[in-house]
Amino acid sequence: MNKIYKYIFLLTISILAFHYSFATHNRAGEITYEQISNLTYKVTITTYTATGPGYTADRPELEIQWGDNTTSILPRVEEVDLPGFIKRNTYIGTHTYPAP
């Protein structure tokens, strides 16, 4: 019986912690890529963020890790306000890998 109560208690705490972890302005996102040449890729990141009351975070740029121990800062190239206090942000960057 004691194990069941511990399990229920931990499950309840986990659910409450999970519920509160949704306090973010990010709503959705998509990453697409296009191979431009043999080792060069163009990446487009599209994010959808909440803009209503209480959401003040805004990202004019995003950091991307390319997987070869390098990073880049991608500038926001498009910002569109949508109905329902949502904003679509588009970030674009290119990267050339040193080897296949």
Side-chain angles (χ1 to χ4, degrees):
M1 274 306 221
N2 229 358
K3 282 187 176 184
I4 292 175
Y5 290 123
K6 286 181 184 178
Y7 175 76
I8 291 172
F9 176 74
L10 290 175
L11 182 62
T12 303
I13 295 297
S14 298
I15 290 172
L16 289 174
F18 182 73
H19 173 71
Y20 288 112
S21 68
F22 277 103
T24 180
H25 66 286
N26 289 318
R27 294 296 177 237
E30 175 182 55
I31 301 172
T32 58
Y33 68 92
E34 174 186 354
Q35 188 172 7
I36 296 174
S37 66
N38 193 27
L39 299 174
T40 302
Y41 290 83
K42 174 184 173 183
V43 173
T44 302
I45 300 174
T46 305
T47 64
Y48 295 86
T49 55
T51 60
Y55 296 104
T56 57
D58 189 29
R59 292 190 176 115
E61 56 192 23
L62 284 180
E63 181 180 14
I64 184 170
Q65 297 178 0
W66 296 103
D68 61 354
N69 294 322
T70 63
T71 62
S72 296
I73 303 296
L74 304 184
R76 179 171 48 203
V77 296
E78 183 181 46
E79 182 177 1
V80 178
D81 287 319
L82 302 173
F85 299 108
I86 300 293
K87 181 169 51 171
R88 183 180 69 217
N89 305 282
T90 304
Y91 308 85
I92 297 177
T94 59
H95 180 68
T96 301
Y97 288 91

